[in-house]
Amino acid sequence: MKCRLMMGLAALLAIQTLKAQTPLKGEELQEVVVTGTGTQHLLKDAPVQTEVISRRQLQQYAGRSIEDILSGLTASFDFNENDMGSHLQMNGLGNSYVLILVDGRRLHGDNGGENDLSLIDPHNIEKIEIVKGASSALYGSDAIAGVINIITRKHRQQGLMAENTTRGGSYGDLRQHNGLALNFGPLSSYTNFQLQHADGWQNTAEEAQQQTEYHITDSRNKTVNRHTNWQLAERLTLQCSPQLEFYADGSIYRKRIYRPSGHHPGVDVRTYDLQYNNASAAVGGKWQLNETDVITLDADWKRHAYNYAYTDTTLTDGYVNGRFTNYFPYFPGQTELQSDQRLTVVSLKGVFSLPMQQRLSAGLEYRYDWLKAPMRVVNGKASDNTEAVYVQDEWHQDLGQSGAALYLTGGLRLTRNEGFGTRLTPKLSAMMKAGELRLRATWSQGYKTPTPKELHYQYIRNMNGVYLYLGNTDLKAQNSNYFSVSAEYTLGQLTLTLAPYYNKVDNMIALVTIPQKEAPGQLIVQYDPQRVRQYQNIEDAKTYGVDFTARYQTRHVTLGGSYSYLDTEANQYDSEDEVMRRVTIDGMAHHKANVYATWRKGNSEGDRMGKGENRRTRDWGFGLYGRLSSKRYYQIDGNGKGYQLWRLTGNYEWNTRSLPSVARSLSLRLEAGIDNLFNYVDRTPHGLHLGTTSPGRTVYASLTVRFNQGKKLTNKYNNSLNQNYNNDQQD
């Protein structure tokens, strides 16, 4: 009832507001995207179906994290956050099948097999591009489900830029962003600092009775633990000439998760916190041969270290070279390394124009994974080498004077892995444009080899019972076939997209519960686990469904939403009963949807001051957002409940610019909102799966201050800036 009431109010508000609107064609269709092909296209003319979350959408929604943004603005994603990561799922496939890029470079920060998305500063994002399926030859093993490319803001204006964003909310939520850009001549520098903290919350004190000896109703386990993380990043860019550019960047990152200790041994007694230490460094360059041809070279190194930080005296298992030797004591303040993962990627890419309206992309990529885990890997260390070469050709042909056109993109990627040999994977996409109708189709194959963790890891999880997790050196490489078609139609301010898809993954790797007799005997004797789970290949895994989006946009009002239907199935061998069973893929929900209604208005005024001019703009807006999901299915530990969460946001921005002698500007932006308006809380006992970890109704507010001090402007540059300024006001 509350859902229908809010939707009705939103529709009534929109109808009343639309009466006075001036038509404005959907601005998101004018976005330039690069992720699908690695080359620039207008979104409406991208041969590979691409979804974009624009800067304006990001500002209006004001998400606190990447998880919040993706799940709130598109129906294709779901998350189930805990201490060990975000548990991202995209169209039925989990985190290990989703390639997450930041400015085209791979994100690396593994928590229990899940990327640590708090490495990304949400206040420094320009836009997000999403490509589903293994649709491009440019991307390798982790892109079977798709690619998420986080494109950060660029600060290239000559002079100085300083900005600060401080955001506070319920449950001690604090988000801090600071940026400092210095641009002098050919050298540019951008320094970014972010801090994230939350006190955590407890939605229930009850433990799942089927996983504990007693019915516990006073556990101290939290739904989300108190945590603090910060990151300092620096990027230097040297523009040697209009054709030649070099860059170097690096970052350090620290995160600590504070775990409360209770009085139920084996359930909530904690003697250590979790601590993460990350670092990264990269160098690269771009050589623009002419207007169309370019060569880029990138070398990227990343480290992710995961430690126990002891808060009480603890007797732990002692290991040398991955083998148990004796028990060893740790004392408060000491840390113990659990895993140290390092990733090195070197890539060379060229884009060249060819006759007959063709564009060729070709490249080489080398990847080296290194893992050190004294307690969790046999012999203490493991590594993996992968090399790839790819080629992709884009061709388009205009069909007559009506604006109709045909676009074809085909590619091949040859991948060689030291342990699993060589595999060639083809990709083919086509788009037919006829007026405002665009029809797209994609077929592609993917290839993913097991990770060092999946092959070699073994560890104990002591939470609501003792679970033993095992790697598997007999794993096979995974192969996928992805098919999708889509139709996109624009009628005035209304844009509709319908996109069915089918993804078949052979030898899909998943955690499977196995009988204790199949586990190493010494581990069973040592730990006496309640359940043993091992990475195994699942046969004939399939995900299929349809995504639908609608967006109506005028100058001041935007209405829209997305809906995703998903189904999954797989054949899993039950070694205990010696039968093949049909199962769903963990985390699948049949129905997910997002709806939104936003209103935005701005005005400007100016006055003369001698030879200069001050210009001031004011911009304010409101938004109502809904996120809905049906039940999520799991093979063990229960299903996650369906839910709906509603969010109300408001923002006000004030800008002043001084022209023409000096490009000086100051902007202030205030944001506030209420999340989970109807105070829904999932109180499923600890140890079972949740639909959502939301603590209930929360409030937040943030303030952004940004200052630009540019150099003295030429008349030509000033005229250009004035024209851009006037265009901004018209939008």
Side-chain angles (χ1 to χ4, degrees):
M1 175 64 71
K2 293 178 179 177
C3 172
R4 292 194 295 268
L5 177 61
M6 292 303 298
M7 294 179 69
L9 289 175
L12 180 60
L13 173 64
I15 291 171
Q16 293 300 318
T17 311
L18 285 172
K19 293 179 179 179
Q21 299 304 307
T22 304
L24 175 69
K25 193 166 185 176
E27 65 181 36
E28 75 284 354
L29 295 179
Q30 309 305 316
E31 289 271 7
V32 175
V33 297
V34 298
T35 305
T37 62
T39 54
Q40 292 188 350
H41 293 273
L42 287 176
L43 175 60
K44 63 181 181 179
D45 293 332
V48 176
Q49 181 69 40
T50 305
E51 185 175 353
V52 172
I53 300 176
S54 67
R55 175 69 180 167
R56 180 171 292 183
Q57 290 173 282
L58 291 168
Q59 286 187 320
Q60 195 85 2
Y61 185 74
R64 63 190 290 271
S65 64
I66 294 298
E67 295 94 332
D68 188 14
I69 291 167
L70 290 175
S71 60
L73 292 177
T74 175
S76 301
F77 295 96
D78 217 332
F79 296 87
N80 194 4
E81 300 176 60
N82 61 24
D83 289 348
M84 300 311 297
S86 302
H87 297 276
L88 161 68
Q89 191 180 81
M90 178 179 179
N91 285 137
L93 294 176
N95 184 93
S96 61
Y97 299 95
V98 182
L99 178 60
I100 301 176
L101 306 174
V102 179
D103 292 327
R105 290 159 43 203
R106 183 184 302 266
L107 180 72
H108 179 67
D110 186 320
N111 291 353
E114 306 291 326
N115 277 311
D116 185 357
L117 298 182
S118 57
L119 285 161
I120 302 169
D121 183 355
H123 296 289
N124 195 39
I125 300 174
E126 182 63 31
K127 63 179 177 178
I128 301 173
E129 297 181 5
I130 302 162
V131 175
K132 297 170 184 175
S135 302
S136 175
L138 278 63
Y139 309 114
S141 60
D142 296 338
I144 284 179
V147 179
I148 305 170
N149 192 8
I150 312 292
I151 298 174
T152 61
R153 300 173 64 191
K154 303 300 184 288
H155 309 279
R156 295 297 184 88
Q157 180 180 329
Q158 291 292 304
L160 165 72
M161 187 282 295
E163 62 183 353
N164 169 269
T165 298
T166 301
R167 171 181 171 136
S170 304
Y171 299 96
D173 185 57
L174 175 65
R175 308 276 159 158
Q176 181 71 37
H177 160 81
N178 299 95
L180 177 65
L182 300 171
N183 298 275
F184 298 105
L187 183 64
S188 301
S189 165
Y190 182 67
T191 306
N192 180 52
F193 173 80
Q194 65 152 328
L195 170 72
Q196 302 178 12
H197 172 84
D199 289 340
W201 55 85
Q202 184 186 55
N203 289 345
T204 180
E206 182 181 1
E207 297 288 341
Q209 189 169 358
Q210 58 266 48
Q211 297 184 7
T212 61
E213 186 176 354
Y214 307 103
H215 186 202
I216 297 172
T217 58
D218 60 345
S219 171
R220 293 199 64 196
N221 276 331
K222 288 190 172 184
T223 305
V224 173
N225 283 322
R226 181 166 70 96
H227 58 274
T228 302
N229 59 273
W230 59 266
Q231 182 183 53
L232 180 64
E234 171 67 27
R235 180 180 177 93
L236 295 171
T237 303
L238 180 63
Q239 191 77 45
C240 299
S241 70
Q243 294 77 34
L244 188 61
E245 176 184 289
F246 296 99
Y247 76 87
D249 64 33
S251 68
I252 55 174
Y253 170 90
R254 299 291 182 268
K255 182 175 184 177
R256 182 148 179 162
I257 299 174
Y258 302 89
R259 311 203 305 168
S261 185
H263 50 275
H264 297 288
V267 176
D268 64 355
V269 175
R270 303 284 178 263
T271 61
Y272 55 86
D273 295 334
L274 307 180
Q275 182 173 299
Y276 303 92
N277 302 321
N278 284 26
S280 70
V283 294
K286 181 172 72 172
W287 183 17
Q288 191 77 42
L289 302 176
N290 51 48
E291 289 186 1
T292 57
D293 300 350
V294 62
I295 295 175
T296 59
L297 175 64
D298 299 278
D300 207 359
W301 174 86
K302 291 182 171 69
R303 179 198 182 212
H304 174 80
Y306 164 44
N307 302 271
Y308 288 168
Y310 286 95
T311 56
D312 199 356
T313 302
T314 305
L315 192 65
T316 70
D317 301 340
Y319 285 79
V320 175
N321 295 327
R323 300 186 184 279
F324 176 77
T325 57
N326 207 335
Y327 292 102
F328 188 84
Y330 279 88
F331 302 98
Q334 292 185 307
T335 60
E336 181 185 23
L337 178 68
Q338 301 302 302
S339 69
D340 182 356
Q341 302 173 77
R342 303 186 187 187
L343 171 69
T344 302
V345 178
V346 180
S347 59
L348 174 66
K349 176 188 171 184
V351 179
F352 309 99
S353 291
L354 299 179
M356 300 178 64
Q357 301 188 72
Q358 295 183 82
R359 186 158 45 174
L360 180 72
S361 299
L364 304 169
E365 184 177 282
Y366 169 76
R367 172 174 173 169
Y368 176 66
D369 287 274
W370 182 85
L371 169 65
K372 177 182 178 182
M375 294 179 58
R376 301 170 181 242
V377 171
V378 176
N379 299 323
K381 297 179 182 178
S383 62
D384 188 48
N385 283 282
T386 303
E387 302 89 34
V389 57
Y390 61 84
V391 62
Q392 176 178 274
D393 186 42
E394 301 174 62
W395 171 85
H396 86 272
Q397 179 66 50
D398 294 328
L399 305 176
Q401 302 297 320
S402 62
L406 175 65
Y407 296 77
L408 294 176
T409 301
L412 292 171
R413 185 179 182 93
L414 183 67
T415 304
R416 191 205 75 86
N417 180 270
E418 64 174 338
F420 294 89
T422 302
R423 177 63 188 265
L424 182 68
T425 51
K427 328 276 181 175
L428 180 63
S429 296
M431 184 185 78
M432 172 70 76
K433 179 175 70 172
E436 297 301 328
L437 175 66
R438 284 156 178 80
L439 302 175
R440 295 180 176 91
T442 293
W443 167 71
S444 63
Q445 291 187 344
Y447 178 63
K448 178 174 171 56
T449 58
T451 66
K453 274 192 171 184
E454 292 167 340
L455 291 167
H456 304 290
Y457 226 45
Q458 59 185 37
Y459 69 99
I460 283 290
R461 190 192 79 173
N462 191 358
M463 182 181 296
N464 305 311
V466 178
Y467 283 22
L468 173 62
Y469 290 83
L470 299 173
N472 185 354
T473 55
D474 293 328
L475 290 173
K476 301 175 184 177
Q478 303 159 94
N479 306 289
S480 71
N481 272 279
Y482 176 78
F483 303 88
S484 73
V485 294
S486 69
E488 177 186 291
Y489 185 68
T490 302
L491 179 62
Q493 293 73 249
L494 176 66
T495 301
L496 303 172
T497 304
L498 185 69
Y501 64 89
Y502 173 88
N503 206 349
K504 183 176 184 294
V505 184
D506 293 324
N507 298 318
M508 179 180 178
I509 296 174
L511 276 170
V512 174
T513 300
I514 63 173
Q516 286 198 3
K517 63 184 180 182
E518 296 184 13
Q522 71 274 18
L523 295 178
I524 298 299
V525 173
Q526 183 178 347
Y527 295 111
D528 187 24
Q530 194 173 332
R531 182 175 288 166
V532 181
R533 307 206 79 198
Q534 185 181 46
Y535 288 106
Q536 292 191 359
N537 293 109
I538 293 179
E539 299 185 26
D540 299 325
K542 304 180 183 71
T543 70
Y544 49 92
V546 60
D547 294 330
F548 173 75
T549 62
R551 182 179 177 90
Y552 181 85
Q553 181 177 337
T554 70
R555 180 165 297 174
H556 300 303
V557 170
T558 303
L559 304 173
S562 59
Y563 166 76
S564 179
Y565 171 78
L566 168 69
D567 206 349
T568 69
E569 59 183 60
N571 291 317
Q572 178 180 310
Y573 182 69
D574 186 331
S575 58
E576 188 164 13
D577 295 335
E578 297 184 345
V579 295
M580 191 71 73
R581 298 191 185 279
R582 181 64 59 89
V583 298
T584 61
I585 296 176
D586 276 350
M588 183 270 292
H590 284 304
H591 309 281
K592 294 194 294 291
N594 300 80
V595 293
Y596 56 87
T598 66
W599 176 83
R600 175 180 177 268
K601 185 175 176 59
N603 60 31
S604 64
E605 57 185 22
D607 55 79
R608 293 280 181 180
M609 298 182 60
K611 296 182 178 180
E613 180 178 326
N614 274 353
R615 287 187 171 176
R616 292 177 292 275
T617 65
R618 295 178 176 84
D619 189 289
W620 55 91
F622 299 94
L624 177 66
Y625 299 85
R627 173 158 53 106
L628 306 90
S629 175
S630 61
K631 178 167 63 176
R632 300 184 71 186
Y633 293 90
Y634 294 88
Q635 296 178 40
I636 65 169
D637 298 334
N639 297 320
K641 297 178 181 177
Y643 62 87
Q644 55 174 288
L645 305 176
W646 291 87
R647 176 190 188 100
L648 184 65
T649 68
N651 59 79
Y652 173 80
E653 184 169 347
W654 175 85
N655 297 276
T656 180
R657 293 184 183 183
S658 177
L659 298 170
S661 58
V662 176
R664 181 187 297 117
S665 67
L666 174 67
S667 67
L668 303 175
R669 182 177 178 86
L670 178 66
E671 298 171 345
I674 305 173
D675 203 2
N676 198 345
L677 280 168
F678 303 117
N679 199 32
Y680 173 75
V681 179
D682 187 343
R683 302 197 185 278
T684 300
H686 295 294
L688 304 181
H689 293 291
L690 302 175
T692 172
T693 59
S694 171
R697 186 182 298 113
T698 59
V699 298
Y700 73 89
S702 73
L703 175 64
T704 298
V705 180
R706 179 172 177 149
F707 173 76
N708 281 279
Q709 174 68 61
K711 70 173 187 177
K712 187 173 181 179
L713 304 176
T714 63
N715 288 335
K716 180 179 179 181
Y717 185 85
N718 180 56
N719 292 337
S720 174
L721 188 62
N722 274 322
Q723 183 61 49
N724 292 337
Y725 178 87
N726 292 331
N727 291 339
D728 288 343
Q729 301 316 303
Q730 291 176 7
D731 288 344

